[in-house]
Amino acid sequence: MKPEIINVSLTRKLNDLSYPIFVGNNLLSQSKNIIKQFVYDRKVILIHDNFFSEKENSNHNFVDFVKTIKNLSKSINLIGISGGDKTKNISQLNLILEKSLSFEISRDSLIIAFGGGVVGDIAGFASSILLRGLDYIQIPTTLLSQVDSSVGGKTGINSSQSKNMIGSFHQPIAVIADINMLTTLPRREFLAGMVEIIKYGLIKDVSFFEYLEKNHEEILNLDQLKLKNIICMSCKIKSLIVKKDEKENGERALLNLGHTFGHAIESFGKYDGTIIHGEAVSIGICLAFKLSNKLGFCSQIETTRVINLLKILKLPTSLKDISISITTSKMLDKFKYDKKNKNNQLTFILNERIGKSFIKNNMDISVLKKFLDEEI
Ligand SMILES: NC(=O)c1ccc[n+]([C@@H]2O[C@H](COP(=O)([O-])OP(=O)(O)OC[C@H]3O[C@@H](n4cnc5c(N)ncnc54)[C@H](O)[C@@H]3O)[C@@H](O)[C@H]2O)c1
């Protein structure tokens, strides 16, 4: 299967920017041709998920990839961190920064993030502030990171208040999404990634949503061609949105469908694995559709159709599906930290129908309160 290359092109006032996303099978075990243009003769810091290691009996894609970089680069140093959102914090960031500096990096050094969204977000953020900004490459190894977090340049960490409160916009110079990496991914993590894929259909493309409805069984059975299709389709939708609105001044906020509720739910889980990002967003999407329906924007039939697809995938679809203590007042309190808010007014992403999301500013708190009282 030939790799597909999707270009992310950003038009900026001073410096236009473009970078490739490579999507395909076995890209890492034969990565030399792809990677050499980026790493040749540079000092490389490889920040990787501890799921991968250099031991010979570890994931051979990782072992092969490290060997390739050793051959092509000036030098390579590895920093291993644990996956999971508990790791995405300021003390872990500090360790990465100090360790990277101890390797005597310079402005032409390169960071490579090898792991899921957690490694990608924290390593990307470290790259944006080390020596005031280093190049970095994303090698996403979870479905979620291949279709979402590795693309678009949002980097960051969680604060004790809420998700992703500290961060930067810093675009990678390349993304390499190797579908083969997904064979070791636990089913729960795979399903969490499906949520962000479904999200693209819900925001922008009803025919993509229909494709997912029709083909979900083959996708769950890791049909390589269908997997490649949905990863490419997701990256294309995201890159078109990011192209128009890199810093989220408008349309990019649509990618937040389900995330205002989702981030709040996730933070109540204290990032201990009780609920993971995609699961929280799954509930968040259902709440966003139910709220859209309640406010008269979206029909009951469309709302039920969305909830049904997530239910078929055995994802949580209601606050009643999870065993985390949440109250309406705690939830409303969390919404204050949402980055979409302006002038202390809450903003939500709602839907007119499947394939058409919109930004709803100045959300009425009393309506939200009544809605949440019924849902919790
Ligand atoms: N920057 C963005 O635009 C953006 C977008 C969406 C989500 N996110 C962030 O992404 C994070 C979630 O990403 P995630 O779901 O990839 O989580 P993750 O990085 O925690 O990975 C999930 C789990 O899978 C393991 N893992 C990784 N690759 C594996 C593989 N190939 N085989 C087996 N196990 C593997 C990890 O060790 C971890 O336990 C959240 O912090 C979320 O906020 C960021």
Side-chain angles (χ1 to χ4, degrees):
M1 199 193 295
K2 264 184 74 176
E4 180 155 347
I5 305 172
I6 298 152
N7 263 306
V8 184
S9 311
L10 304 168
T11 314
R12 292 162 160 180
K13 269 190 194 136
L14 292 177
N15 56 335
D16 289 356
L17 180 87
S18 168
Y19 60 90
I21 306 168
F22 300 89
V23 184
N25 217 324
N26 290 319
L27 297 184
L28 293 178
S29 52
Q30 309 149 27
S31 60
K32 192 174 159 202
N33 287 336
I34 295 178
I35 203 86
K36 70 174 174 223
Q37 57 184 311
F38 303 109
V39 301
Y40 182 69
D41 211 21
R42 294 172 91 164
K43 192 172 253 194
V44 172
I45 312 287
L46 180 64
I47 302 176
H48 65 91
D49 190 306
N50 275 334
F51 177 80
F52 306 102
S53 85
E54 271 193 291
K55 290 184 199 130
E56 282 299 333
N57 60 355
S58 173
N59 184 298
H60 72 91
N61 292 296
F62 181 75
V63 176
D64 290 350
F65 182 73
V66 173
K67 277 186 194 150
T68 306
I69 303 286
K70 270 186 187 155
N71 289 334
L72 294 170
S73 64
K74 191 181 270 176
S75 66
I76 177 169
N77 290 99
L78 276 67
I79 302 177
I81 63 172
S82 305
D85 256 274
K86 231 185 169 61
T87 305
K88 224 175 87 172
N89 57 37
I90 195 104
S91 47
Q92 189 66 53
L93 174 72
N94 193 38
L95 284 175
I96 291 174
L97 296 176
E98 292 297 344
K99 249 190 178 165
S100 303
L101 292 168
S102 75
F103 298 136
E104 296 176 8
I105 50 172
S106 54
R107 282 225 165 119
D108 60 348
S109 299
L110 174 76
I111 305 260
I112 299 182
F114 196 114
V118 163
V119 171
D121 277 9
I122 197 166
F125 186 38
S127 319
S128 76
I129 52 179
L130 275 166
L131 310 187
R132 298 209 170 87
L134 300 180
D135 284 350
Y136 77 113
I137 292 177
Q138 290 272 21
I139 314 251
T141 62
T142 61
L143 183 60
L144 186 145
S145 56
Q146 296 193 346
V147 298
D148 195 352
S149 58
S150 64
V151 177
K154 272 192 186 176
T155 76
I157 54 171
N158 305 324
S159 79
S160 57
Q161 266 89 12
S162 200
K163 284 273 302 179
N164 301 335
M165 296 305 288
I166 303 160
S168 63
F169 288 96
H170 186 52
Q171 302 291 340
I173 58 167
V175 180
I176 305 172
D178 185 339
I179 297 166
N180 205 29
M181 298 308 287
L182 304 179
T183 50
T184 54
L185 196 64
R187 173 56 57 117
R188 186 181 177 200
E189 299 292 347
F190 188 89
L191 293 174
M194 285 300 294
V195 176
E196 303 282 11
I197 296 174
I198 292 169
K199 179 190 77 178
Y200 293 118
L202 297 175
I203 293 171
K204 275 252 165 235
D205 191 338
V206 65
S207 59
F208 187 41
F209 181 83
E210 283 163 0
Y211 181 87
L212 296 168
E213 277 184 321
K214 278 199 198 104
N215 294 287
H216 66 268
E217 274 179 28
E218 290 100 316
I219 295 167
L220 294 190
N221 288 331
L222 304 189
D223 179 294
Q224 298 292 291
L225 203 60
K226 296 215 156 111
L227 256 181
K228 188 178 168 196
N229 275 347
I230 61 169
I231 294 170
C232 288
M233 195 60 201
S234 302
C235 290
K236 279 178 193 160
I237 295 177
K238 181 157 185 184
S239 59
L240 282 176
I241 294 177
V242 172
K243 179 184 167 77
K244 286 192 220 151
D245 179 22
E246 185 186 359
K247 300 263 171 88
E248 201 168 304
N249 296 311
E251 188 182 345
R252 186 168 180 168
L254 297 180
L255 293 168
N256 246 253
L257 174 65
H259 283 65
T260 310
F261 292 114
H263 282 164
I265 297 165
E266 215 184 333
S267 66
F268 293 129
K270 305 217 170 353
Y271 313 120
D272 63 0
T274 313
I275 187 153
I276 54 177
H277 181 74
E279 293 169 341
V281 174
S282 174
I283 298 174
I285 286 175
C286 295
L287 290 175
F289 265 83
K290 284 187 193 170
L291 184 58
S292 304
N293 175 240
K294 201 171 179 62
L295 295 174
F297 294 119
C298 180
S299 73
Q300 182 63 49
I301 293 175
E302 297 266 294
T303 304
T304 307
R305 199 171 151 197
V306 174
I307 296 172
N308 277 350
L309 178 58
L310 293 163
K311 271 195 179 147
I312 289 171
L313 296 178
K314 301 204 166 40
L315 283 153
T317 56
S318 152
L319 289 168
K320 298 187 174 94
D321 289 346
I322 52 172
S323 53
I324 295 173
S325 136
I326 298 178
T327 62
T328 297
S329 66
K330 276 202 231 166
M331 192 86 153
L332 289 173
D333 211 40
K334 281 284 174 202
F335 292 160
K336 289 182 199 151
Y337 296 104
D338 193 272
K339 294 186 285 302
K340 292 186 294 304
N341 297 340
K342 286 196 182 110
N343 300 325
N344 292 329
Q345 298 290 323
L346 300 184
T347 295
F348 275 73
I349 308 304
L350 298 181
N351 270 62
E352 279 173 25
R353 53 183 161 77
I354 294 171
K356 180 99 182 71
S357 294
F358 66 97
I359 300 169
K360 170 83 184 84
N361 294 314
N362 301 334
M363 181 64 86
D364 186 332
I365 304 264
S366 61
V367 171
L368 261 181
K369 185 173 176 317
K370 196 158 171 281
F371 172 73
L372 285 171
D373 281 343
E374 287 163 11
E375 288 296 325
I376 288 175

